[in-house]
Amino acid sequence: MEGEGIEHRMVEVNGIKMHVAEKGEGPVVLFLHGFPELWYSWRHQILSLAARGYRAVAPDLRGYGDTEAPADVSAYSIFHLVGDLVALIDSLGQEQVFVVGHDWGAIVAWNLCAFRPDKVKALVNLSVAFFPRKQALWRIDTLRRMYGDDFYVCRFQEPGEVEAQFAQVDTALLMKSFLTSRNPGPFMIPKHGGFTGRLGKEIILPSWLSEDDAQYYASKFTKTGFTGAINYYRNIDKNWELSAPWEEVQIKVPTKFIVGDVDLAYRCGGMEDYIHKGGFRRDVPLLEEVVVMEGVGHFINQERAEEISNYIYEFIQKF
């Protein structure tokens, strides 16, 4: 991707140095990646939107890739993550930007729109719908009750434990396992060896993920480890406490939501009913469209890169 004219630089935001990849001139589209990803997850969208008259900007979020990773778990609260983006938007010389988020990037984008809707012209979120605070779904006790101790979010809570498990596996193989997973059921990481056991067989890469892609991710996570990324999950309960003033918040930003029908984030915890039976539209009153892509998994912006780029462009060019 280095030869595609994507430029890389470091910017000072909110007390950390953040790595940003960008290309193009025009209105800014800010791309926010999820777990366990990097700016690189948006490589196709960066090129596509830049070619259509936009300035595509994709940071490595706090704790990921070439962006700084503070050691303290508490430095990964939702206020830190949103604060990084507000500072980044300001550093780009923008009052408002278009925002596109996936997975944790979508969660951060929902919160950016809750806390600072003045900063967002329009939002396209992928995979992860809005979590109304009052439902208390995104709480560790709730998730443990629903799925048990081996559910990945629960297993991520003990500092160092799952990192040690990941370290027993080749990082490229681990990344391939994450990115190619097609199981729409709850993602489990058994405490005693089950996770490493299932990585023994060869992983056949799909057409949308090359060996070079997997090696790029692996090169960054080999260097940084996974602690910064996992610290997002270790703040879930703290974020719920901190967001009490926004208990009844509605997301009042024009929004498009896109999800694959074999995405674990779509199939878990009553999200389908929430998305389709009125709850989502109640909480996001400017939700213009929900697109459910048939046969598509969680890493939707890579698996269906061209379609996702087109969906983003079709939506934001109206504003």
Side-chain angles (χ1 to χ4, degrees):
M1 297 303 290
E2 304 300 323
E4 300 276 12
I6 296 174
E7 296 178 358
H8 298 265
R9 61 193 178 93
M10 301 297 290
V11 292
E12 295 263 359
V13 296
N14 196 23
I16 62 167
K17 291 185 178 68
M18 175 174 268
H19 166 245
V20 173
E22 62 182 336
K23 182 179 171 71
E25 301 289 335
V28 171
V29 186
L30 183 59
F31 291 95
L32 309 177
H33 68 79
F35 175 88
E37 298 180 88
L38 300 162
W39 75 268
Y40 189 80
S41 309
W42 300 108
R43 58 198 178 278
H44 305 295
Q45 287 75 32
I46 292 171
L47 299 180
S48 178
L49 272 292
R52 300 193 219 193
Y54 291 89
R55 181 183 177 189
V57 178
D60 284 333
L61 297 181
R62 173 181 291 243
Y64 282 88
D66 294 322
T67 292
E68 278 191 88
D72 191 349
V73 173
S74 66
Y76 295 82
S77 80
I78 198 64
F79 288 158
H80 290 85
L81 305 177
V82 172
D84 293 347
L85 299 184
V86 172
L88 176 59
I89 292 166
D90 288 346
S91 81
L92 296 169
Q94 303 296 308
E95 288 293 319
Q96 277 195 320
V97 297
F98 296 108
V99 175
V100 182
H102 172 253
D103 186 78
W104 258 103
I107 295 173
V108 179
W110 291 125
N111 282 278
L112 172 63
C113 292
F115 303 153
R116 293 298 304 273
D118 58 302
K119 290 290 177 188
V120 185
K121 278 186 210 168
L123 172 69
V124 180
N125 261 348
L126 314 181
S127 293
V128 177
F130 183 58
F131 292 127
R133 185 182 185 276
K134 55 185 173 286
Q135 289 185 7
L137 174 65
W138 199 230
R139 301 288 310 282
I140 302 307
D141 284 351
T142 306
L143 295 169
R144 189 170 276 125
R145 261 196 318 275
M146 290 167 67
Y147 303 117
D149 290 339
D150 284 348
F151 185 57
Y152 77 106
V153 178
C154 303
R155 290 276 288 111
F156 281 178
Q157 296 308 305
E158 185 60 41
E161 189 177 272
V162 83
E163 290 96 323
Q165 209 168 343
F166 287 172
Q168 296 169 13
V169 182
D170 175 74
T171 307
L173 187 63
L174 187 64
M175 293 307 303
K176 291 175 190 177
S177 174
F178 281 136
L179 293 168
T180 62
S181 175
R182 308 285 297 172
N183 179 5
F187 179 49
M188 300 295 187
I189 302 179
K191 189 163 188 170
H192 300 292
F195 184 70
T196 52
R198 73 181 182 209
L199 289 176
K201 55 186 183 297
E202 186 187 358
I203 295 171
I204 306 297
L205 294 182
S207 60
W208 53 268
L209 186 72
S210 72
E211 187 66 39
D212 284 348
D213 296 333
Q215 291 298 334
Y216 183 85
Y217 287 111
S219 72
K220 297 301 180 182
F221 282 105
T222 298
K223 187 181 77 174
T224 63
F226 288 88
T227 297
I230 293 170
N231 280 343
Y232 286 50
Y233 295 90
R234 293 175 178 143
N235 277 278
I236 285 174
D237 280 348
K238 176 57 73 176
N239 289 341
W240 190 82
E241 294 170 15
L242 292 171
S243 62
W246 291 270
E247 172 78 10
E248 300 288 341
V249 73
Q250 289 180 305
I251 304 301
K252 293 188 174 174
V253 168
T255 300
K256 181 171 191 159
F257 180 72
I258 311 168
V259 67
D261 71 351
V262 289
D263 188 332
L264 75 173
Y266 181 59
R267 294 294 188 187
C268 287
M271 291 310 291
E272 274 184 89
D273 281 353
Y274 172 71
I275 288 166
H276 297 297
K277 295 186 176 177
F280 196 15
R281 200 166 290 280
R282 176 198 64 223
D283 295 325
V284 187
L286 301 183
L287 178 66
E288 294 197 12
E289 189 181 4
V290 172
V291 177
V292 181
M293 298 180 73
E294 203 172 317
V296 181
H298 182 63
F299 296 97
I300 188 169
N301 44 324
Q302 298 182 78
E303 183 177 344
R304 292 289 182 85
E306 187 176 352
E307 286 165 86
I308 293 298
S309 297
N310 291 339
Y311 277 134
I312 293 165
Y313 174 71
E314 287 161 12
F315 186 62
I316 68 174
Q317 56 94 27
K318 298 191 289 190
F319 300 95

